[in-house]
Amino acid sequence: MSPERCAELIATLGLQPHPEGGHYGEVFRSALPVRPADGREGRIALTTIDFLLQPGQCSAWHRVASDEVWHLLEGQGLRLWLAPPDLSAFTHVDLGPVAAVQRPRHVVPAGWWQAAEPLGGGAYVGATVGPGFEFADFSFGREDAAFRAALQNQPPGTLPDLQRLL
């Protein structure tokens, strides 16, 4: 996806800068209330946003207290970096056109660490969260000492420099 196409999407969709990087715009916020079983106060059932990463941008390491589904809408692909809450492993999933080992969407379970970067230019994605997204349920990896230590303790040469996504 070219920088010109990214600029067109930002203007057409009215996307705004996102604190984790990239640009976003809320598409839907359910009116249906739910009470999460994890002790959080009531939330709305579902939210979804348009999210755009331009060439060279990334979505910084973060976690959300709800399940999040990433949907590739346009672009060559998106690399989604993942780590479970216990920080026992760092892996990735590539979203892209349907192939034997590749799909256009992926579910990140509640509480998992995640970061994203476009493959081959920009990436336009949708992100759907349930129970619905609230910034109170969001935290950055750069602000979590255990997460930063786990990144630093990865054996040399086993992964690319994932600290660049902080």
Side-chain angles (χ1 to χ4, degrees), residues 94 100 146-148 158:
D94 289 344
F147 180 80
R148 288 192 325 271
T158 59

Side-chain angles (χ1 to χ4, degrees), residues 37-106:
D38 60 9
R40 286 182 284 164
E41 294 294 319
R43 295 287 187 265
I44 57 165
L46 184 78
T47 58
T48 192
I49 64 169
D50 285 326
F51 186 68
L52 176 73
L53 290 172
Q54 298 182 66
Q57 287 187 323
C58 71
S59 166
W61 281 107
H62 65 282
R63 64 180 167 186
V64 179
S66 298
D67 295 332
E68 182 169 7
V69 184
W70 290 72
H71 318 260
L72 180 68
L73 302 173
E74 192 173 326
Q76 290 180 315
L78 181 84
R79 176 154 294 158
L80 191 56
W81 291 99
L82 304 165
D86 68 4
L87 301 169
S88 59
F90 288 84
T91 60
H92 74 275
V93 173
D94 289 344
L95 307 185
V98 175
V101 296
Q102 188 169 272
R103 298 290 188 263
R105 79 183 50 79
H106 184 78

